[in-house]
Amino acid sequence: MGKKVNFYTIDLYDSASHMKKDYLELKNLLKVIIEKNARQINNFLVLDLSRERELHYVADIFAYEDEYLFMRISNQKPAGGYLYRDYTTNVPAGVLEGVNEEKEGIEVYTYALLDYATGILSIVNQQSAPTYKIINYILGKYNASYYLDFKPIPNPDGIDRIYNAVEPRISQIEIEVPVPSAEILEQMFGWSATEILDIQGNELKATMKLSAVNRRLITDDENETRGLIDCIKSKITEYNKARVRAKATGIKTQDYSFFDENFSYPIEIPTYKIISDVKYYYTADDLIVIYRDNLQMAYNENKVILKTISNR
């Protein structure tokens, strides 16, 4: 499953004076809070971040003592928004019916990795899960003498990174354009009027993807690459999205967007494995290692440019 890792710099402030502190102090502050307030559960620590009159927020902490803080952060969701179903009978039922949600609940979660040495937070963008702001709950609840300020690390003009690189080459172009009219859809696909109306009743997007045959490159030199990028830029107001897959000297092949304002990095989180033609879905415990490895990879792959952009 494709996901994105977003990156933020963290600044530490004194709550009374609002003076900025050295972000390197954050490591010791967090260690003290975790060791004093977290509960040991199996082989990790659990820190309650819940506030009064809110559903629960929790941080499951897997590493915090050395270079990184690595944790799973989750927020409780009302159980009434979910169903349990027995697929042998197709009979639905409520989830945790009759259970006091103050005591038990279901949660949506994501993972975060904080490099103490740079003060850079990497967090997986997960729909409905907590955002980077939940990290401030740690100090807000357990040491209100300090607070955190987060700044998204900007994308250095996105496409300009590859545009200004040495020997850039493009291997794929993907452009999202406005959905064609019913007349064009009819001409292209031979759909009937009813079929067109049914399709247009849904949310649609139209994407054009171009790539060379036999895994070759679309552009062969810097002039061709930059000329093609300039051509796309000149028509950018006509597109909903536009990106190219490209590489350059010292930069591996990856996607570059013409629209993204903040720096992000795509990762792939598998949900299952196949053994002897049987699909086995990963458990929540399996995914801890998968997310950790992907977060560390995403951060390490981009550490140099992240430090450069953020001056860390």
Side-chain angles (χ1 to χ4, degrees), residues 40-309:
Q40 183 78 41
I41 305 291
N42 298 324
N43 59 344
F44 60 92
L45 295 164
V46 177
L47 189 65
D48 183 14
L49 303 179
S50 305
R51 296 178 171 182
E52 290 185 11
R53 295 183 295 276
E54 286 187 359
L55 294 175
H56 291 84
Y57 290 86
V58 180
D60 297 325
I61 298 163
F62 305 106
Y64 74 96
E65 294 180 290
D66 299 318
E67 298 178 16
Y68 301 97
L69 169 66
F70 172 58
M71 59 186 174
R72 176 175 59 200
I73 46 180
S74 60
N75 60 300
Q76 184 183 9
K77 293 295 182 182
Y82 298 84
L83 283 177
Y84 164 82
R85 190 183 301 271
D86 181 342
Y87 291 110
T88 61
T89 63
N90 279 333
V91 175
V95 176
L96 298 178
E97 281 189 336
V99 171
N100 184 342
E101 290 187 319
E102 285 292 319
K103 297 182 178 180
E104 295 183 41
I106 55 176
E107 299 176 347
V108 178
Y109 62 84
T110 189
Y111 285 85
L113 180 77
L114 170 62
D115 181 357
Y116 292 130
T118 62
I120 294 176
L121 176 76
S122 312
I123 184 168
V124 180
N125 185 4
Q126 187 105 307
Q127 188 174 10
S128 299
T131 67
Y132 64 90
K133 295 178 182 178
I134 194 68
I135 313 297
N136 227 343
Y137 280 33
I138 299 176
L139 292 182
K141 183 166 185 174
Y142 296 107
N143 190 346
S145 297
Y146 301 92
Y147 67 91
L148 303 174
D149 182 55
F150 299 84
K151 292 184 177 65
I153 295 180
N155 188 1
D157 295 325
I159 196 64
D160 286 349
R161 184 185 176 202
I162 198 68
Y163 188 94
N164 296 319
V166 177
E167 297 184 344
R169 303 287 189 272
I170 294 174
S171 58
Q172 182 175 287
I173 303 168
E174 186 173 344
I175 294 173
E176 184 178 321
V177 297
V179 176
S181 66
E183 291 78 11
I184 294 176
L185 291 176
E186 184 175 11
Q187 292 174 11
M188 292 175 62
F189 300 107
W191 292 333
S192 67
T194 302
E195 290 169 333
I196 293 170
L197 290 173
D198 288 342
I199 290 170
Q200 289 185 326
N202 300 320
E203 293 186 2
L204 297 178
K205 64 179 182 180
T207 302
M208 179 178 65
K209 187 179 293 186
L210 300 175
S211 58
V213 296
N214 299 325
R215 298 186 178 181
R216 296 174 62 188
L217 296 171
I218 294 177
T219 60
D220 293 321
D221 59 44
E222 294 181 3
N223 291 333
E224 286 184 358
T225 299
R226 291 169 182 153
L228 185 52
I229 290 173
D230 287 336
C231 183
I232 296 172
K233 280 184 173 181
S234 70
K235 299 287 186 180
I236 202 65
T237 57
E238 300 177 20
Y239 308 142
N240 295 332
K241 292 181 181 179
R243 64 182 179 182
V244 298
R245 183 165 299 166
K247 66 178 182 178
T249 300
I251 304 175
K252 72 172 192 176
T253 300
Q254 63 187 73
D255 290 337
Y256 295 90
S257 174
F258 287 75
F259 288 87
D260 289 345
E261 295 181 1
N262 297 324
F263 197 97
S264 64
Y265 190 82
I267 59 173
E268 191 68 30
I269 302 296
T271 56
Y272 62 87
K273 58 184 175 181
I274 297 176
I275 301 175
S276 300
D277 294 326
V278 179
K279 185 182 291 186
Y280 294 91
Y281 284 89
Y282 288 116
T283 65
D285 286 342
D286 294 331
L287 289 170
I288 295 170
V289 177
I290 294 171
Y291 272 98
R292 182 200 65 198
D293 291 346
N294 274 275
L295 269 173
Q296 288 181 331
M297 178 273 295
Y299 178 67
N300 290 334
E301 288 278 349
N302 297 284
K303 186 174 182 178
V304 173
I305 189 170
L306 289 171
K307 290 176 64 178
T308 300
I309 298 169

